[in-house]
Amino acid sequence: MSARTARTRLLAATTVALAALALTACDNGKGVRDEGPSAASHSSSQPTASTADGGTTAKPAGETGGSTATPKSTTTPGTTTAGTSGGSGSAGKNGGGTTTTRNPACNGANTKTTATEVSRPLNHLLLTVTNTGAKNCDLTGYPIARFGEAQSVPPVAESTHPQAVVTLTPGESGYAGVLLSAADGSGSNGYTAKTLVVGFAKGSSATPALPAKGVHVDDKLTVTYWQQSLDDALAY
């Protein structure tokens, strides 16, 4: 065999070997390409995970909403407390304190009433109501005084309304003043009354005696509310 022939055969063998290697490389390349989409698919799943992360991000938002609901819940009890404190209720009780009574009413059945003409102030009569019972009684309102044959009763001086209910213990007295007539003579329709009937807010009335000569009254006739103090009764 000549040297040239040997080189030709070696070259041919080398070419075959290189072709075989090339084919093997191509097969492996295909395998790599097949794995490539798998990797891409895996990469595509990453946004899904990101979406899940996004869902996790949404949870804090939801929790924030929950936190918002908590102040609402806190506000509701506060409002209820405020509504209760509006102790509108307390105000009502305080407002009615001067008229609401805790004891039986004082009236002609459990008291004694007297009418006394006083020198000062001028033209005034003092009504005194004494508790003759065994229990406390409340003297509310003002005397409903009917002098003689009068068809009406005198008005009350609103400025004399007491700050609290007048409560009389057994033996204790309450008072009311009566302006019989104008001291300066400015009154009209005057007449002399010799009888007096005193009505109470509740219960029976009383008929205290007037001076034998009677008392002069005119259209200025006015009474005060019942008072705990004699001085307060004659202050009008």
Side-chain angles (χ1 to χ4, degrees), residues 41-52:
S41 175
H42 179 70
S43 298
S44 298
S45 67
Q46 293 302 320
T48 305
S50 299
T51 304

Side-chain angles (χ1 to χ4, degrees), residues 105-131:
C106 298
N107 55 57
N110 56 8
T111 63
K112 178 182 179 181
T113 303
T114 60
T116 307
E117 200 169 14
V118 296
S119 57
R120 290 287 185 276
L122 293 175
N123 303 337
H124 274 67
L125 191 71
L126 176 67
L127 299 179
T128 303
V129 174
T130 304
N131 184 354

Side-chain angles (χ1 to χ4, degrees), residues 113 127 129 143-146 196-200 204-208 226:
T113 303
L127 299 179
V129 174
I144 304 169
R146 190 179 300 277
L196 171 62
V197 176
V198 176
F200 296 88
S204 58
S205 58
T207 54
W226 292 113

Side-chain angles (χ1 to χ4, degrees), residues 151-218:
Q151 299 300 308
S152 61
V153 296
V156 63
E158 290 296 339
S159 61
T160 64
H161 198 293
Q163 294 300 311
V165 174
V166 177
T167 298
L168 304 181
T169 59
E172 190 177 15
S173 299
Y175 309 90
V178 181
L179 171 63
L180 297 170
S181 59
D184 59 3
S186 60
S188 57
N189 302 317
Y191 64 95
T192 299
K194 294 189 176 183
T195 61
L196 171 62
V197 176
V198 176
F200 296 88
K202 294 180 181 179
S204 58
S205 58
T207 54
L210 291 175
K213 63 180 180 60
V215 293
H216 179 75
V217 298
D218 60 24

Side-chain angles (χ1 to χ4, degrees), residues 206-233:
T207 54
L210 291 175
K213 63 180 180 60
V215 293
H216 179 75
V217 298
D218 60 24
D219 56 9
K220 299 297 183 181
L221 184 64
T222 308
V223 300
T224 70
Y225 282 92
W226 292 113
Q227 308 290 330
Q228 198 84 53
S229 163
L230 182 152
D231 291 337
D232 289 341

